Amino acid sequence: MQQRVAVVSGGGTGIGKAIARELAAAGNRVVILGRRIDVLERARAEIDRAVGTPRVVPIAADLTVPSQVNDAAHAIADIGPVDALVNNAGAVITQPADGSLDALANAWRRDLDTNLLTAVLLTTALLDHLRRPGGRLVVISSAAAQRGGAGPHSAGSYAAAKAALHGWAFGLARQLGPDGITVNVLAPGYVSDTEIFGADWTPEFHASKIADTLVGRAGTPEDVATAVSYLTSPAAGYLTGQVIGLNGGAVLGR
Ligand code: NDP
């Protein structure tokens, strides 16, 4: 059987690395994308060692830059049709300290670029290369899109950028459904053991996020990877156009 091809943006760290590992373990050839080639190379070595065979292809690209996305998409198209595209790259942009509108505008633009435009550009560049029928597109959003907030000092733009992904994904689901491609949004709650909160992470913040859940623990990158594994599987062909919460009960019923 032909090897399936998966693409994971932000696949060098945190949640994306766990998704890449899960999809590689399931037999996929997995392209991981990020800006730092050294980080991607380390992830490749770690995953290939864990899986026991070379399955990971690292490609360095800043996915906010159209020319870099185009170059990455051409390299991916040479590998073969894309069975699963996981738009996972993102970041929490911190609130500007000086309170000026210039700084605020800059933070919002960076947030929209990083959390929304990365997914829009990569998906658009790969649209003609998605497997038809059978392609699977997953967008990693956040519980912040459903209830506001994010890190301790995030600008409101993070929640807004993630929420914008939802409307965009619904349109894509309508557009691609007739081609046999599914599009879903996965909205995780707090997930520890990633780089996203950086120096803003504190034990108090961690404890407050756990207290928000019904199950009394933080999510893990593996929790997200398991859900993505199902959403990108051939078995998930009737599930499309949905926002799926994965948050330990921190957000109910949406
Ligand atoms: P990480 O910071 O560990 O991962 C983010 C990844 O995105 C990095 O590998 C980074 O690589 C990549 N990335 C960021 N900007 C760009 C860019 N311009 N071009 C290419 N790659 C980029 O954090 P997480 O694993 O926590 O986050 C993964 C996703 O999950 C994000 O979308 C995040 O918003 C979402 N999420 C996380 C939650 C959490 O609690 N951890 C909760 C809900 C959602 P590099 O810096 O090398 O470019």
Side-chain angles (χ1 to χ4, degrees):
M1 201 177 90
Q2 201 187 4
Q3 193 173 34
R4 285 167 56 88
V5 175
V7 176
V8 183
S9 72
T13 65
I15 292 170
K17 186 167 72 173
I19 294 169
R21 188 189 301 114
E22 181 85 21
L23 296 180
N28 292 272
R29 190 100 185 267
V30 183
V31 177
I32 56 174
L33 297 159
R35 289 164 299 185
R36 294 167 294 171
I37 190 63
D38 54 324
V39 169
L40 295 172
E41 283 293 356
R42 276 202 297 279
R44 179 192 61 74
E46 184 187 319
I47 295 170
D48 283 351
R49 198 168 45 245
V51 171
T53 184
R55 295 245 163 89
V56 177
V57 181
I59 299 178
D62 183 336
L63 299 176
T64 66
V65 180
S67 60
Q68 295 192 29
V69 179
N70 264 327
D71 289 348
H74 284 128
I76 292 165
D78 286 344
I79 297 171
V82 174
D83 296 279
L85 169 57
V86 185
N87 283 298
N88 162 81
V92 174
I93 307 299
T94 52
Q95 192 78 252
D98 74 1
S100 73
L101 282 187
D102 279 342
L104 187 67
N106 188 37
W108 271 75
R109 290 198 178 100
R110 282 174 54 217
D111 230 327
L112 291 166
D113 274 3
T114 306
N115 291 297
L116 178 60
L117 199 64
T118 50
V120 173
L121 292 181
L122 182 62
T123 302
T124 304
L126 288 176
L127 218 47
D128 290 344
H129 307 294
L130 297 179
R131 174 89 62 196
R132 285 169 168 79
R136 301 278 179 263
L137 218 149
V138 177
V139 178
I140 303 296
S141 172
S142 167
Q146 299 163 315
R147 61 176 200 169
H153 306 109
S154 67
S157 43
Y158 177 77
K162 290 296 193 184
L165 287 169
H166 298 194
W168 168 70
F170 298 154
L172 267 185
R174 283 187 197 284
Q175 179 188 335
L176 298 177
D179 290 347
I181 298 173
T182 64
V183 182
N184 290 290
V185 176
L186 188 60
Y190 173 60
V191 176
S192 58
D193 299 326
T194 82
E195 294 183 354
I196 200 154
F197 299 112
D200 280 347
W201 187 95
T202 62
E204 293 73 28
F205 172 71
H206 179 73
S208 75
K209 288 298 187 182
I210 290 175
D212 277 348
T213 69
L214 302 181
V215 298
R217 71 168 175 87
T220 64
E222 289 70 29
D223 287 325
V224 183
T226 303
V228 170
S229 174
Y230 173 66
L231 290 173
T232 56
S233 70
Y238 199 56
L239 206 176
T240 195
Q242 304 303 310
V243 176
I244 297 154
L246 183 79
N247 52 48
V251 177
L252 296 179
R254 274 184 282 147

